[in-house]
Amino acid sequence: MRPLNVFSHAQAKWIGVALIAIALIGLPFALASAGTAWVRIANLAILFVFLSLGLNIVVGFAGLLDLGYVAFYAVGAYAYALLASPHFNLHLPPWVILPIGALVACLFGVLLGAPTLKLRGDYLAIVTLGFGEIVRIFLNNLSQPVNITNGPQGISRIDPFHLGAFSFNRTETAFGLVFSGPIKYYYLLLALLLLAIVINLRLQHSRIGRAWEAVREDEVAARAMGINTTRIKLLAFAMGASFGGVAGGMFAAIQGFISPESFVLVESVMVLSMVVLGGMGNVWGVVLGAVLLSFVPELLRYTVEPLQKSLFGKSIIEPEVIRMLLFGLALVLMMLYRPAGLLPSAVRKRELLQPKRSAP
């Protein structure tokens, strides 16, 4: 009977995976029936999941608080825009630009990590916050004397993602189904996201992942055990930044226009909130937190104003105000009742639930 139970459990697991796969494949068409805007929201949610997975390497795995993560997002976006637009009249293939954007963001991650190796906690947060603002200000002002970023006007007419003659921004019909640009981008982003999840899971259970965990728990003890903490922390910044670079490149390709205003501090705070809400250090928890904080605010945007008009005959409070109010309230409640997140990692859950020992 024992082998039968094991087989049944494995069968149920694969059935669940198959159902999730079918749901993800059919999701864009279900959302398109409610409006193309919802497919675009789903694409943006996938980008936020991608960013959250990258930040989780820095914050969740290595325990390094980063408030300037949006800088790597901006670097990847501008790398794609500059190499695939009429701005420099360069139109390189997207499959070449994305690795370049990841490498440039990786370099910026090392540049951020090198001066902050001895900082932790609030001091590290302040330095990374400043780094994010410095990158945004540079992007906003690098239009003189040589026009590199086009300043606050941003870069437009960015080439869409394409593979040869197949472009992802054109609407096509196949098998009786209409594949619009957002729907095609959805499947491309979903494939990249699955690859990112596999990489994160492999990293978490690798020797490097265990070294990050040791540094997060006690850096002095990790150094005493022979771990090169300098190299490990720089690797965390570099790996996390590369995810932001790829997400930024895809954002530029989908939008077709970017400007420095797309990469403000609030974006970093939002991504960090997604990691904290889902559960730092747990890949699936981070995915859940990013999806919730991407979709729920948009649901509120479409429901709060009609609800007020039906109750009071007019809109009393702006939907954006209510959205941020509920967002703040949710974070406060999370910190009070689920401090480890919705799906915390086993290590963090054990730490928070372990009773404190009284001093002898």
Side-chain angles (χ1 to χ4, degrees):
M1 294 298 293
R2 189 183 180 101
L4 180 61
N5 290 336
V6 173
F7 179 75
S8 300
H9 178 72
Q11 246 187 348
K13 177 183 176 181
W14 285 109
I15 291 173
V17 171
L19 291 175
I20 293 174
I22 293 171
L24 289 175
I25 292 172
L27 179 62
F29 295 101
L31 294 175
S33 63
T36 308
W38 285 103
V39 184
R40 298 183 185 276
I41 291 171
N43 292 342
L44 189 62
I46 295 176
L47 284 177
F48 272 117
V49 173
F50 213 98
L51 290 171
S52 301
L53 289 173
L55 185 59
N56 185 53
I57 293 176
V58 182
V59 178
F61 292 170
L64 305 170
L65 184 56
D66 188 354
L67 288 180
Y69 189 72
V70 73
F72 311 124
Y73 189 38
V75 167
Y78 269 87
Y80 188 98
L82 294 175
L83 297 175
S85 72
H87 186 67
F88 286 152
N89 203 22
L90 296 173
H91 299 276
L92 299 181
W95 53 269
V96 173
I97 303 176
L98 281 182
I100 292 176
L103 288 174
V104 174
C106 183
L107 175 62
F108 272 76
V110 174
L111 291 176
L112 170 62
T116 61
L117 291 174
K118 295 184 179 180
L119 300 177
R120 290 188 69 85
D122 300 339
Y123 301 100
L124 178 60
I126 292 172
V127 172
T128 55
L129 186 152
F131 178 80
E133 286 299 293
I134 288 171
V135 170
R136 184 184 64 83
I137 292 171
F138 263 95
L139 295 175
N140 214 17
N141 291 275
L142 283 180
S143 57
Q144 294 177 350
V146 179
N147 188 5
I148 299 177
T149 64
N150 208 28
Q153 296 179 0
I155 300 175
S156 59
R157 294 185 294 167
I158 302 172
D159 297 342
F161 200 94
H162 61 89
L163 295 174
F166 182 80
S167 179
F168 281 81
N169 69 332
R170 289 198 300 261
T171 300
E172 297 178 358
T173 303
F175 308 107
L177 299 174
V178 177
F179 290 84
S180 62
I183 290 178
K184 290 195 288 185
Y185 271 121
Y186 168 86
Y187 289 119
L188 175 62
L189 290 171
L190 186 62
L192 290 175
L193 177 61
L194 292 176
L195 178 61
I197 290 175
V198 170
I199 292 174
N200 268 260
L201 291 173
R202 297 289 293 175
L203 280 174
Q204 185 177 16
H205 301 294
S206 67
R207 181 181 299 179
I208 295 174
R210 292 193 294 272
W212 281 335
E213 183 179 333
V215 170
R216 183 190 68 200
E217 298 303 316
D218 193 327
E219 187 174 344
V220 176
R223 191 182 297 113
M225 293 297 294
I227 295 175
N228 188 337
T229 56
T230 299
R231 184 168 62 91
I232 285 297
K233 290 166 74 172
L234 285 178
L235 186 60
F237 275 113
M239 286 294 299
S242 64
F243 280 78
V246 174
M250 291 306 305
F251 174 75
I254 294 172
Q255 295 293 109
F257 168 79
I258 59 169
S259 70
E261 296 305 315
S262 301
F263 311 104
V264 293
L265 174 63
V266 177
E267 298 294 325
S268 287
V269 175
M270 183 64 72
V271 176
L272 181 61
S273 301
M274 293 172 179
V275 175
V276 174
L277 175 67
M280 290 189 295
N282 186 2
V283 174
W284 300 112
V286 169
V287 172
L288 176 62
V291 170
L292 287 178
L293 287 187
S294 298
F295 270 104
V296 173
E298 297 302 326
L299 289 173
L300 291 174
R301 187 195 302 274
Y302 283 93
T303 56
V304 165
E305 190 167 2
L307 182 61
Q308 290 186 85
K309 288 183 178 179
S310 64
L311 292 176
F312 309 108
K314 61 179 181 178
S315 180
I316 299 176
I317 306 176
E318 291 293 327
E320 182 67 21
V321 176
I322 295 181
R323 190 166 69 100
M324 295 308 295
L325 175 65
L326 294 177
F327 172 69
L329 179 62
L331 288 181
V332 171
L333 293 176
M334 280 296 303
M335 293 302 99
L336 289 175
Y337 299 106
R338 297 281 295 184
L342 294 174
L343 292 176
S345 66
V347 176
R348 288 187 58 81
K349 187 175 181 180
R350 186 167 61 247
E351 289 173 353
L352 291 171
L353 294 179
Q354 187 177 8
K356 295 182 179 180
R357 297 179 181 179
S358 57

